Amino acid sequence: MNTIETSIKDGLAIITLNRGKSNSMNREMVTELTDMLHHIENDSHIGGVVITGKEHFFSAGLDLIELYNYNEEEAKSFWHLFLDFVAKITAFKKPLVAAINGHSPAGGCVIALACDARVMAEGKYIIGLNEVPVGIIVPNSIFNLYAFWLGKASASRHLLEGKLFSPDEALNVGLVDELVKPESILTAAERKARKYMAFERNTWQQSKTNIRKELIASTSADQSADLEVMLKQWWAPTTRSILKTIIDGLQKKA
């Protein structure tokens, strides 16, 4: 695979996001992640998964530079693909732990939210859903994922202002479960995953599915109507202008 690396360690799969400096997600990465999770879920020899990034980025979110240049059909196809991936990772039965080794805004945060636990590195990093300031309407399914951990009131406030949290702030609001030194991130995430893996497999998996019943229904539902509204705004001149400004800034840094 071109955008992720996977290794197996004593029945635990470690997926490392590996696409450019910031691990921004494009069609290829979303497809590879979906395929890998499907493979792992059906492999009885693998009991759990840790997802991590590299250097100072877990994932900067969706690749806005690539997405900006999609035509209408490509954009619609991608957003369907991404929301299908969110549904897949939310309903994933086995233990899934995010080792958030760096920045994790927007789509990076969505991956972390779908996990059972989040361990984040200490440092000057950011995490949160900042879609609104970018001009992207957040689908109800992703808001529900945010609210699952933060509660509806807190998720509403932070989503509408596009709040990006420091690691300490993220811990305080329940967005992450543990902060560790960067060099200990994988050890801490593995410890968390293996704690889940130690329980009787079917009992743990069915309990997870029961707890997430409403969340799974929300992310798996037909989201065509939400997507239609979102895509209409995606092509609006105001949103295109915001995106263009962001992309210009990203390209200057590259």
Side-chain angles (χ1 to χ4, degrees):
M1 291 191 169
N2 296 322
T3 66
I4 62 175
E5 297 173 356
T6 305
S7 59
I8 311 297
K9 180 183 177 185
D10 299 326
L12 177 66
I14 299 169
I15 299 175
T16 303
L17 308 179
N18 184 29
R19 181 173 181 263
K21 179 185 174 183
S22 64
N23 284 328
S24 57
M25 289 181 277
N26 66 346
R27 184 182 302 277
E28 184 179 29
M29 181 182 251
V30 173
T31 300
E32 289 188 351
L33 277 169
T34 303
D35 290 347
M36 181 54 67
L37 288 173
H38 179 76
H39 169 74
I40 290 170
E41 194 162 46
N42 291 290
D43 188 334
S44 61
H45 299 293
I46 301 175
V49 181
V50 168
I51 299 182
T52 193
K54 59 188 180 66
E55 294 167 2
H56 299 290
F57 282 91
F58 179 72
S59 171
L62 300 183
D63 186 342
L64 293 178
I65 296 173
E66 183 169 317
L67 265 66
Y68 184 83
N69 291 306
Y70 284 166
N71 61 33
E72 288 193 30
E73 194 53 46
E74 288 170 335
K76 183 178 181 180
S77 169
F78 175 82
W79 283 107
H80 273 290
L81 180 75
F82 180 70
L83 291 181
D84 285 348
F85 163 67
V86 174
K88 173 71 179 175
I89 194 172
T90 301
F92 188 76
K93 290 182 178 179
K94 296 179 180 181
L96 187 61
V97 176
I100 307 167
N101 60 298
H103 299 298
S104 188
C109 183
V110 172
I111 292 179
L113 288 169
C115 293
D116 301 300
R118 283 150 298 285
V119 180
M120 188 168 188
E122 298 169 345
K124 294 182 178 179
Y125 300 125
I126 54 169
I127 183 171
L129 297 184
N130 61 325
E131 280 81 354
V132 169
V134 176
I136 297 172
I137 297 173
V138 176
N140 185 56
S141 60
I142 289 178
F143 168 72
N144 288 339
L145 200 52
Y146 212 26
F148 186 74
W149 299 108
L150 271 65
K152 283 191 174 181
S154 180
S156 298
R157 283 193 292 270
H158 297 314
L159 184 73
L160 289 175
E161 68 177 50
K163 170 74 173 175
L164 288 170
F165 301 90
S166 69
D168 285 326
E169 290 172 332
L171 183 67
N172 287 337
V173 298
L175 180 52
V176 301
D177 304 292
E178 185 180 356
L179 298 182
V180 298
K181 295 188 181 304
E183 60 270 22
S184 303
I185 191 83
L186 276 177
T187 303
E190 181 179 336
R191 187 188 311 123
K192 186 82 74 174
R194 292 197 185 280
K195 184 175 183 179
Y196 294 145
M197 289 164 63
F199 294 114
E200 200 281 322
R201 183 174 292 193
N202 188 61
T203 302
W204 192 92
Q205 291 181 8
Q206 191 56 55
S207 297
K208 173 179 177 175
T209 301
N210 290 347
I211 290 164
R212 292 182 172 226
K213 189 174 182 180
E214 292 179 5
L215 194 57
I216 291 168
S218 170
T219 54
S220 301
D222 181 358
Q223 298 180 69
S224 300
D226 272 4
L227 266 179
E228 193 174 325
V229 172
M230 195 187 84
L231 284 166
K232 186 176 180 181
Q233 185 60 39
W234 174 261
W235 294 109
T238 49
T239 298
R240 303 301 284 177
S241 177
I242 294 168
L243 290 170
K244 184 71 167 62
T245 301
I246 292 169
I247 288 165
D248 287 345
L250 290 171
Q251 289 175 328
K252 283 177 185 174
K253 290 179 184 176

